[in-house]
Amino acid sequence: MTNNSSKTKVVDRNHPGFSKNAEPFFRIVMEGLKGYVDGEHFWDVVAEDAVFEFMYHVPGFTSKIVGRDAYMEWFGGYSAVLQSADGLIVTKTVDSEEVVLEYAVHAKGYDNRFCSIVKLKDRKIIYWRDYADSLAMVGG
């Protein structure tokens, strides 16, 4: 459950999790969630206790990250340099606080499509389940 502190705590803009390498990802997600969340950046709209699950298998990558701070730490070490993201499809589900985002990200020698199921509460991300092409990740 999200508490009031997760809605008011200011996210440090100097944190390494604000990786320029991932900027296309941050931008396309915020475009897809426009009107559903409040905040300027991806990290502004992630609840402190959010849970992220990754339904793909990449050697050395976990299948679950709990908490905004832990995910920010992971992004702080994000080494791929994304060049762009596109192909956004936003689907509102029957559940009034769930949105499905489909999009592609591109880097030199790497292209992948994602499907992210995003649960919201109080206009914040509380749960994120991600699907992607595992082979594209390890082969790209």
Side-chain angles (χ1 to χ4, degrees):
M1 180 181 289
T2 306
N3 60 34
N4 286 337
S5 67
S6 67
K7 290 191 268 185
T8 58
K9 184 178 177 185
V10 176
V11 181
D12 178 9
R13 292 289 197 262
N14 295 314
H15 188 285
F18 282 82
S19 173
K20 296 293 180 201
N21 293 351
E23 213 37 64
F25 164 78
F26 296 141
R27 274 194 306 270
I28 203 157
V29 167
M30 291 304 291
E31 180 183 338
L33 294 177
K34 186 175 182 174
Y36 298 108
V37 295
D38 296 321
E40 295 177 23
H41 192 278
F42 177 76
W43 297 121
D44 296 332
V45 302
V46 175
E48 287 183 52
D49 54 355
V51 174
F52 294 83
E53 290 190 294
F54 310 97
M55 310 309 285
Y56 34 85
H57 304 284
V58 178
F61 185 70
T62 185
S63 62
K64 185 175 186 178
I65 295 176
V66 178
R68 180 182 64 204
D69 291 345
Y71 201 27
M72 284 180 76
E73 286 302 316
W74 181 84
F75 262 102
Y78 190 72
S79 60
V81 180
L82 297 180
Q83 296 170 328
S84 64
D86 56 31
L88 179 64
I89 299 170
V90 179
T91 305
K92 183 76 169 151
T93 67
V94 174
D95 179 340
S96 64
E97 294 191 320
E98 188 172 83
V99 179
V100 177
L101 304 176
E102 297 176 68
Y103 53 93
V105 297
H106 312 282
K108 186 175 182 180
Y110 173 77
D111 295 289
N112 205 343
R113 292 217 30 96
F114 289 82
C115 179
S116 302
I117 299 165
V118 184
K119 290 191 182 221
L120 307 167
K121 183 174 182 180
D122 299 326
R123 300 184 65 81
K124 297 276 189 187
I125 297 168
I126 61 166
Y127 178 76
W128 180 285
R129 187 170 59 245
D130 226 11
Y131 295 87
D133 181 351
S134 301
L135 293 176
M137 291 180 183
V138 295

